[in-house]
Amino acid sequence: MVSRMRWLLAALGIASTAIAGTTVKQDGVLEAGRRAYEASEYVQAIQALQTAAAKDPQNGDVQLLLAKSYLELQEHDPAIKSAEKAVTIDPQNSIYHEWLGRAYGEKADHASWFSAISLAKKTRKEFETAVHLDEKNYSARQALIEFDCSAPGIVGGGEDKALPQIKHLAELDAAEGHYAAGNCRRQKKDFATADQEFMKALESDPRSAELIFDIGDYAVKRNQPDRLLAVADAEERVAPNDPRGHFYRGVALVLKKENPAEAERLLRKYAQKAPTRTGYPRPAAAHTWIGQLSENENKPEDAVKEYETALRLDPKNKMAQDALKRLKRR
């Protein structure tokens, strides 16, 4: 199609070279935005994407990536504005509605009580619209189920609404259904049932990397090394190049006090490669677990160095804070 258009423009005596050059330049700007986003350079990504949006204001994918970039910086209002633009450009796009819901939800988490109610209602509406537009948008359906399991009725939540969604999701995909059931029980602090459902999810050949890794985060918080190994095994099947598998396998080995050299290698590799992005353990967490490994090996000086590195990267890392206090009391 592009070559035919160029031939036609040339036949009409129009400067097709200049027009083609503009297209290439625009594609280059958008690609630069994507690369910056993948490198966790969100300010640079926004700058490139704003340029791309100015040149192509009807490109919903540009607006979506802008919204994601703003969310990583916790700039909720511009994230909402970009996501709203994406929905306006293509109201039938399920993913755009899902991310608008996520943007509303993030702002609701940081808003006053009165504002949070309105934003929460908008959040649910967007998730519900996303599911209506595409019943196999599993991440949107999971978000809707989590909302209903955790949010009060005043904003439209309620477990009674979540249960039919979980049942239908289980009919579409067994792993997604077990995960949704486990996540709902997690919201209710019924961890015994959540444990069972999450293990069933891992045993049901899950295809979603984000599902697998969220179970990994749960297992880290619950100190469950065997589940972490199951997460790492599932990751090798679904997303073998994702660095999070190194993190979860490394933490499992630290918790089991097995193969410390391999545990350290995996955790350092993660710290070097991991993006700074929602859904990924922070590199500081890897250093914290290396510190725990050093404590296991009775190397308190090495442990202190790792914990201090973790706190330089993330001053709010409570595990590292508590560990340093413990070591300094010795």
Side-chain angles (χ1 to χ4, degrees), residues 154-167:
I154 192 174
V155 295
E159 191 174 357
D160 59 318
K161 295 180 179 179
L163 294 177
Q165 289 280 351
I166 294 172
K167 182 177 183 297

Side-chain angles (χ1 to χ4, degrees), residues 69-202:
S69 299
Y70 282 124
L71 284 174
E72 292 297 337
L73 297 176
Q74 296 191 21
E75 295 183 16
H76 305 121
D77 287 334
I80 288 171
K81 185 176 180 181
S82 293
E84 286 176 339
K85 285 182 180 178
V87 167
T88 299
I89 291 167
D90 185 359
Q92 299 303 307
N93 189 305
S94 173
I95 294 173
Y96 294 171
H97 283 280
E98 175 191 348
W99 278 93
L100 178 54
R102 293 184 185 278
Y104 284 142
E106 285 292 322
K107 185 173 181 180
D109 286 342
H110 296 82
S112 65
W113 182 82
F114 184 77
S115 296
I117 290 178
S118 174
L119 288 163
K121 290 179 179 179
K122 290 181 178 180
T123 298
R124 190 186 189 283
K125 179 182 177 183
E126 293 302 324
F127 289 155
E128 190 173 42
T129 300
V131 170
H132 175 74
L133 289 170
D134 180 3
E135 72 166 6
K136 292 190 176 181
N137 182 345
Y138 295 147
S139 62
R141 195 180 290 272
Q142 293 287 5
L144 178 60
I145 290 169
E146 181 172 331
F147 181 97
D148 285 340
C149 283
S150 60
I154 192 174
V155 295
E159 191 174 357
D160 59 318
K161 295 180 179 179
L163 294 177
Q165 289 280 351
I166 294 172
K167 182 177 183 297
H168 183 57
L169 183 55
E171 294 168 354
L172 294 170
D173 186 292
E176 295 279 350
H178 285 300
Y179 170 81
N183 193 25
C184 192
R185 299 322 305 161
R186 169 170 57 179
Q187 308 303 321
K188 303 299 183 184
K189 301 189 184 304
D190 177 4
F191 297 118
T193 305
D195 284 345
Q196 296 172 6
E197 293 293 343
F198 284 153
M199 187 54 72
K200 289 177 182 177
L202 292 173

Side-chain angles (χ1 to χ4, degrees), residues 209 213 232 234-246 269-270 273-275 280:
F213 293 131
E235 175 268 344
E236 288 181 357
R237 295 192 301 271
V238 175
N241 296 320
D242 195 300
R244 285 173 285 186
H246 299 315
K269 189 172 183 179
Y270 178 80
K273 295 180 64 176
Y280 286 76

Side-chain angles (χ1 to χ4, degrees), residues 41 67 83 276 302:
E41 297 171 349
T276 304
D302 291 344

Side-chain angles (χ1 to χ4, degrees), residues 4-5 15 21 27 35 38 49 74 86 90 93 122 134 145 151 156 163 186 194 205 208 210 242 246 253 262 269 289:
R4 181 182 176 187
M5 182 61 71
D27 290 344
R35 286 197 303 269
E38 292 300 327
L49 292 166
Q74 296 191 21
D90 185 359
N93 189 305
K122 290 181 178 180
D134 180 3
I145 290 169
L163 294 177
R186 169 170 57 179
D205 195 23
S208 165
E210 298 310 314
D242 195 300
H246 299 315
L253 293 174
E262 176 66 1
K269 189 172 183 179
W289 282 101

